[in-house]
Amino acid sequence: AGCISFGPETPDSLLTLTPTATAPAGSGASSNAGQSIVLSEFEAPAALDVTRVPVQIDDTSIAYLQDATWVEKPARLFRRLIGETLRTRTNRIIVDGDDPGALAQTRLNGTVRQFGYDARNSSVVVVFDGVLPGAGSSVRTRRFEAVISGVAPEAAAVGPALNQAANQVALEVAEWIG
């Protein structure tokens, strides 16, 4: 008998995002449609629409960090992180996921612009452009950014630093939405 391999070697560990605070079991909320928020699926450029951590080498070149793999695409992880942050920071109902949340009047859309390592200055960078359609044809937008400097180019250092930066942005988004 022999050993059969059906794909690339699996990584020793996978990266994920964890919120700084979570809603306790059994917690819930009730409100009207005006107080509910739907988190639409966030957009991301092709370089981020993968489970690897991009490294910005220079203005026009990227690579991917060795031994750093997300459990799923970072835009989805980040949306869930924002959802949990909103859940613990606001008194609103948060509809996160594929549920259309037809009754919610507030929808957070956005694009994850950067979510990786910048080799030029040894830092991790998270940039998110949030979009909140308002009543009628009004729209609010805001760019959020967090940079953590002095990070070694290793998965064991980059993963926690990205988690810290993502939590910082999620908190700023929660404060913006209110």
Side-chain angles (χ1 to χ4, degrees), residues 30-65:
S30 63
S31 70
N32 60 36
Q35 291 297 312
S36 300
I37 301 173
V38 171
L39 300 180
S40 299
E41 189 165 338
F42 295 159
E43 298 290 323
L48 295 177
D49 200 25
V50 295
T51 57
R52 301 183 68 198
V53 177
V55 176
Q56 192 74 44
I57 305 296
D58 57 36
D59 288 345
T60 60
S61 301
I62 65 162
Y64 289 97
L65 189 63

Side-chain angles (χ1 to χ4, degrees), residues 11 41 90 140 143 162 168 174:
E41 189 165 338
T90 68
R140 290 190 308 156
R143 175 163 284 181
L162 279 170
Q168 180 180 329

Side-chain angles (χ1 to χ4, degrees), residues 31-134:
S31 70
N32 60 36
Q35 291 297 312
S36 300
I37 301 173
V38 171
L39 300 180
S40 299
E41 189 165 338
F42 295 159
E43 298 290 323
L48 295 177
D49 200 25
V50 295
T51 57
R52 301 183 68 198
V53 177
V55 176
Q56 192 74 44
I57 305 296
D58 57 36
D59 288 345
T60 60
S61 301
I62 65 162
Y64 289 97
L65 189 63
Q66 184 175 352
D67 300 324
T69 306
W70 294 106
V71 296
E72 63 181 316
K73 294 178 181 178
R76 284 182 151 256
L77 291 169
F78 186 59
R79 184 185 75 196
R80 287 193 193 104
L81 179 73
I82 287 179
E84 190 63 22
T85 302
L86 286 168
R87 202 170 276 112
T88 60
R89 297 282 181 171
T90 68
N91 291 323
R92 296 176 173 223
I93 292 178
I94 309 303
V95 181
D96 178 17
D98 298 326
D99 184 335
L103 298 178
Q105 294 176 355
T106 303
R107 292 182 183 279
L108 175 63
N109 303 301
T111 302
V112 179
R113 297 275 176 212
Q114 293 181 44
F115 207 92
Y117 186 76
D118 191 333
R120 297 169 293 190
N121 53 22
S122 300
S123 63
V124 298
V125 180
V126 173
V127 176
F128 175 68
D129 288 341
V131 179
L132 275 174

